[in-house]
């Protein structure tokens, strides 16, 4: 057994092209000059700092059961921003900061538009209010960023079946990416509480769709247990690799805006997305690409607000809420799995959390559709509704540059849309009838 020196590792990295790299060269082992392992990242516990190899199939720390995160050897990863700029604005443009080394399973995710909300901004007295429309990803939500990375990692790790619990979008996305990868997907949904478009997607893409008579939190507990006992690969946001994909929302915002926004506002359910964006931006700081972080601000629904309570009451942990309820079914979650990560993201950046009522959410869904031409599902509108509330309560300054992430497309939840709108005007098929309704 020999210990590799830095030059050797560099040669191996060059040879393999896609190889991964471990910060501490003394832990590289090779026999007969054949490289066994080169890692450029490892899994690290956010609580006790224990480290695990990247190909360990674990979702929580083996020592203390807390969440894991992916830690890169940023000092040794070569990231050339000019090279990034030459690549198309898509998620894989940031591949050096993603864990996948194989050809990714991709449906061309990322590169979503950043819209300047001029009308709503004007009404709120905000000159710089933007919305990053994640509903324009392939399956209609930001989950595709997580799944292109998560499903690629599933293949890289040799996993044969992928699984998740979902309020809808995760299942739609997982089903699509599993189809692309040619592997089976199993999804658990809370029966009767998932928007129609999302169930339709999961079914059509060929996942095994199981509706449980219980809520999302219970579905997640069940799928977690089954993944551990049956060897399925879990792709909920407790999976640190999935969150790697989602962090690219923050990267794109920086590249599209050309600067760091003062605040980023995201709807919060399981709290994976806001934590992922924060994590990615911390990497940008470490790489000296930016020198400040936006105030990370999480918005929940009034009937489903465990993170808001923890922030307001300055608690060390999020106390699960037993019966969450909201029209924004995507964020109808009482026990967010990424609780410890979201508290760090909000507190470390001087951000905040607040809750908006279902009426406020639906009013903003209509405003986005009618004043900005942006069609989103209710959970997504929560972020902009939250900005309105925080402006009115004086928490947000009017000179802030704010980016809201709107997370899913309007067509995800057609029933909630139809309920809010008047029915089409039906007429006889003649010009006279047409003119009479136009007048
Ligand atoms: N917005 C939409 C449209 C979502 O689908 C979700 C989560 C969120 C916001 C909240 O993101 O959980 O990372 O805080 N949907 C998950 C699902 C739970 O199963 O589709 P989060």
């Amino acid at each position: 057994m020999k210990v590799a020196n830095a030059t050797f590792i560099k040669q191996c990295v060059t040879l393999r092209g896609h190889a991964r790299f471990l910060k501490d060269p003394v832990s590289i082992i090779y026999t007969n000059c054949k490289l066994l392992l080169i890692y450029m990242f490892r899994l690290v516990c956010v609580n006790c700092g224990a480290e695990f190899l990247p190909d360990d199939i674990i979702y929580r720390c083996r020592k203390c059961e807390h969440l894991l995160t992916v830690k890169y050897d940023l000092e040794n990863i070569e990231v050339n921003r000019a090279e990034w700029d030459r690549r198309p604005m898509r998620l894989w443009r940031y591949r050096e900061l993603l864990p996948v080394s194989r050809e990714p399973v991709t449906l061309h995710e990322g590169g979503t538009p950043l819209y300047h909300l001029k009308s709503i901004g004007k009404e709120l007295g905000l000159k710089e209010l933007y919305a990053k429309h994640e509903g324009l990803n392939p399956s209609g939500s930001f989950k595709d960023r997580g799944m292109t990375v998560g499903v690629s990692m599933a293949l890289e790790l040799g996993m044969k079946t992928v699984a998740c619990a979902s309020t809808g979008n995760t299942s739609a996305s997982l089903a699509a990416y599993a189809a692309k990868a040619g592997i089976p997907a199993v999804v658990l949904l809370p029966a009767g509480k998932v928007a129609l478009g999302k169930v339709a997607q999961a079914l059509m893409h060929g996942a095994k769709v199981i509706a449980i008579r219980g809520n999302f939190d219970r579905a997640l507990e069940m799928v977690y247990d089954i993944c551990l006992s049956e060897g399925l690969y879990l792709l909920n946001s407790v999976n640190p690799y999935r969150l790697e994909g989602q962090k690219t929302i923050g990267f794109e915002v920086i590249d599209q805006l050309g600067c760091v926004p003062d605040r980023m506002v995201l709807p919060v359910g399981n709290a994976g997305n806001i934590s992922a964006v924060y994590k990615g931006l911390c990497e940008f700081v470490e790489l000296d690409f930016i020198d400040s972080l936006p105030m990370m601000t999480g918005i929940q629904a009034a009937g489903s607000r465990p993170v808001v309570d923890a922030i307001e009451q300055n608690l060390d942990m999020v106390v699960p809420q037993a019966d969450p309820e909201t029209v924004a079914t995507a964020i109808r979650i009482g026990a967010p799995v990424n609780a410890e990560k979201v508290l760090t993201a909000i507190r470390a950046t001087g951000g905040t959390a607040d809750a908006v009522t279902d009426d406020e959410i639906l009013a903003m869904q209509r405003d986005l559709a009618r004043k900005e031409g942006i069609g989103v599902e209710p959970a997504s509108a929560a972020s902009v509704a939250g900005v309105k509330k925080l402006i009115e309560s004086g928490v947000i300054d009017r000179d802030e540059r704010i980016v809201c992430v709107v997370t899913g497309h309007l067509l995800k939840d057609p029933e909630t849309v139809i309920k809010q709108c008047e029915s089409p005007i039906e007429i006889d098929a003649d010009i006279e009838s047409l003119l009479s309704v136009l007048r």
Side-chain angles (χ1 to χ4, degrees), residues 141-432:
S141 84
F142 68 96
K143 306 288 180 177
D144 295 341
R145 294 181 187 268
M147 290 308 171
T148 183
V149 173
V151 172
S152 299
M153 286 306 287
L155 297 189
E156 195 157 316
L157 295 168
M159 304 304 281
K160 304 285 181 242
T161 303
V162 285
C164 72
S166 180
T167 57
N169 282 321
T170 302
S171 67
S173 183
L174 182 66
Y177 282 82
K180 177 78 181 170
I183 55 171
V186 177
V187 308
L188 265 69
L189 307 176
K193 290 293 182 180
V194 177
L196 197 63
K198 306 174 188 180
V199 184
Q201 288 178 291
L203 291 169
M204 188 51 130
H205 287 299
K208 186 181 259 305
V209 180
I210 302 163
I212 66 148
R213 290 186 278 276
N215 64 18
F216 167 83
D217 301 308
R218 179 65 192 134
L220 183 54
E221 281 171 6
M222 288 172 67
V223 80
Y224 192 93
D225 288 351
I226 286 295
C227 284
L228 293 186
S229 64
E230 308 302 313
L232 310 183
Y233 193 54
L234 180 63
L235 275 169
N236 278 100
S237 55
V238 66
N239 182 319
Y241 292 131
R242 201 194 99 183
L243 292 185
E244 288 304 288
Q246 291 172 211
K247 75 183 179 185
T248 58
I249 293 175
F251 295 173
E252 287 183 14
V253 166
I254 301 295
D255 284 348
Q256 289 171 315
L257 208 56
C259 62
V260 183
D262 298 303
R263 189 182 296 272
M264 281 191 71
V265 186
L266 293 93
V268 169
N270 230 358
N273 209 32
I274 187 169
S275 312
V277 171
Y278 166 70
K279 191 242 185 201
L281 293 176
C282 288
E283 287 170 359
F284 263 27
V285 169
E286 232 182 292
L287 288 162
D288 270 340
F289 292 172
I290 55 176
D291 54 15
S292 64
L293 290 168
M295 291 175 272
M296 300 304 295
T297 301
I299 305 296
Q300 295 198 289
S304 179
R305 42 170 290 160
V307 174
V308 178
D309 288 342
I311 291 291
E312 278 183 6
Q313 295 162 32
N314 207 15
L315 306 178
D316 288 342
M317 53 185 277
V318 172
V319 180
Q321 188 182 325
D323 294 306
E325 201 49 83
T326 167
V327 69
T329 50
I331 51 172
R332 184 175 167 271
I333 294 176
V337 77
N338 290 290
E340 58 186 326
K341 288 186 178 176
V342 64
L343 294 183
T344 306
I346 290 174
R347 288 182 178 141
T349 58
T352 188
D354 208 338
V356 284
T357 63
D358 283 359
D359 285 347
E360 288 168 326
I361 288 173
L362 295 179
M364 188 52 77
Q365 185 189 24
R366 291 192 298 273
D367 279 356
L368 282 164
R370 291 172 185 187
K371 297 176 181 170
E372 301 286 355
I374 299 174
V376 300
E377 66 167 288
S380 315
S383 58
V384 192
V387 169
K388 183 169 191 248
K389 184 175 175 194
L390 291 168
I391 279 277
E392 285 162 1
S393 60
V395 175
I396 290 184
D397 285 340
R398 289 204 152 77
D399 59 2
E400 282 183 21
R401 183 181 287 131
I402 301 172
V403 173
C404 295
V405 180
V406 294
T407 42
H409 198 277
L410 176 142
L411 291 173
K412 289 282 191 173
D413 189 354
E415 287 170 316
T416 305
V417 173
I418 294 289
K419 273 189 214 150
Q420 296 178 69
C421 301
E422 286 186 14
S423 304
I425 309 161
E426 192 173 320
I427 58 164
D428 289 333
D430 59 67
I431 294 295
E432 210 170 298

Side-chain angles (χ1 to χ4, degrees), residues 2-11 21 25-26 28 30:
K2 284 191 181 173
V3 173
N5 64 26
T7 319
F8 174 78
I9 293 165
K10 269 215 164 124
Q11 282 164 358
F21 193 77
V26 290
I28 308 284
Y30 67 100

